[in-house]
Amino acid sequence: MTTLLELHVLPLDSAGYSARELEALGQSLTGRIRATGMVEDDVPLNSSRPQGHMAVSVPASRPRTWDTPRPGQLVEVRLYKTGQLSTRALLPQDSMGPILDSNALHKQIAELLRFTGALNIIRQDCIVVAAGVSEPAMTSIDTFDPRQSRRTASLAGFGRSFALRTEPDESVTLAALQAGAEEVAEHLARALIAHHPSAA
């Protein structure tokens, strides 16, 4: 299973989308993603419509060699019938596995928040934001070095079952997807790392 950073944004006063509205927005999603500049023009985007949402997947770039460190990168955007917009991204990783680097995580979440805003789909002023890491057992809290892989890693969660996610316990304004992205990202990154077994 692939370990992914997930960011979920839900408008609180949204009635959701009708099947027609979801279809129309879904058809515009690839163009909206391209317009943000987050994905290069020559990268193929693949659309699908699983039950209850529209999805666009972005193929991950291949590292030069198996042990080449790879920065985090966007791999999927999902728009749900409820109005929720979710992005999923690979965490920075090297030959020892995915890394929860506090600085890199803060930067990556802020980037995903601004990207979500740039899609220009969510326009309601009151939203809730949550983040999580799927399959977190292989992650370690460490510093990501884009120049070289680590030689060792402390996988405190390996073999254990635990969840790594924040609870959307308070609403924020739409500014969280623009000027306020850094502040919200710092809170989310700190909360995710605090929940990791290595931080105990």
Side-chain angles (χ1 to χ4, degrees):
M1 297 291 286
T2 303
T3 301
L4 295 173
L5 170 64
E6 301 178 351
L7 182 73
H8 309 288
V9 180
L10 177 66
L12 282 182
D13 54 354
S14 171
Y17 302 117
S18 66
R20 180 186 59 78
E21 289 170 331
L22 186 63
E23 182 73 29
L25 281 170
Q27 288 178 355
S28 73
L29 199 50
T30 54
R32 290 171 186 265
I33 293 170
R34 296 268 189 221
T36 67
M38 185 85 154
V39 179
E40 297 292 335
D41 289 340
D42 61 348
V43 174
L45 298 178
N46 302 305
S47 300
S48 61
R49 186 173 181 176
Q51 190 69 28
H53 69 276
M54 302 292 293
V56 175
S57 59
V58 183
S61 61
R62 294 184 178 277
R64 294 189 305 276
T65 60
W66 69 272
D67 61 345
T68 299
R70 183 169 63 181
Q73 55 186 302
L74 177 73
V75 293
E76 189 178 46
V77 179
R78 291 183 177 185
L79 178 62
Y80 290 84
K81 186 174 175 59
T82 59
Q84 177 176 312
L85 187 56
S86 298
T87 50
R88 305 172 86 199
L90 292 171
L91 288 165
Q93 62 185 61
D94 60 14
S95 61
M96 302 303 296
I99 302 170
L100 289 172
D101 177 319
S102 59
N103 291 328
L105 186 61
H106 175 192
K107 182 179 177 182
Q108 188 175 16
I109 293 175
E111 185 177 57
L112 290 176
L113 285 167
R114 287 190 291 266
F115 168 73
T116 299
L119 291 174
N120 201 28
I121 291 176
I122 296 178
R123 300 181 183 180
Q124 295 87 350
D125 192 54
C126 196
I127 60 175
V128 289
V129 180
V133 175
S134 66
E135 304 299 325
M138 294 302 293
T139 62
S140 55
I141 298 176
D142 215 328
T143 300
F144 173 69
D145 185 344
R147 296 177 299 276
Q148 64 180 13
S149 284
R150 298 165 295 167
R151 295 180 183 273
T152 60
S154 175
L155 298 177
F158 187 68
R160 299 168 60 177
S161 177
F162 67 97
L164 209 56
R165 60 174 177 264
T166 66
E167 296 298 330
D169 55 357
E170 61 181 57
S171 63
V172 294
T173 68
L174 197 59
L177 307 183
Q178 301 158 2
E182 290 291 335
E183 181 181 351
V184 174
E186 182 179 12
H187 168 73
L188 293 172
R190 191 167 56 241
L192 285 177
I193 288 177
H195 287 123
H196 197 278
S198 295

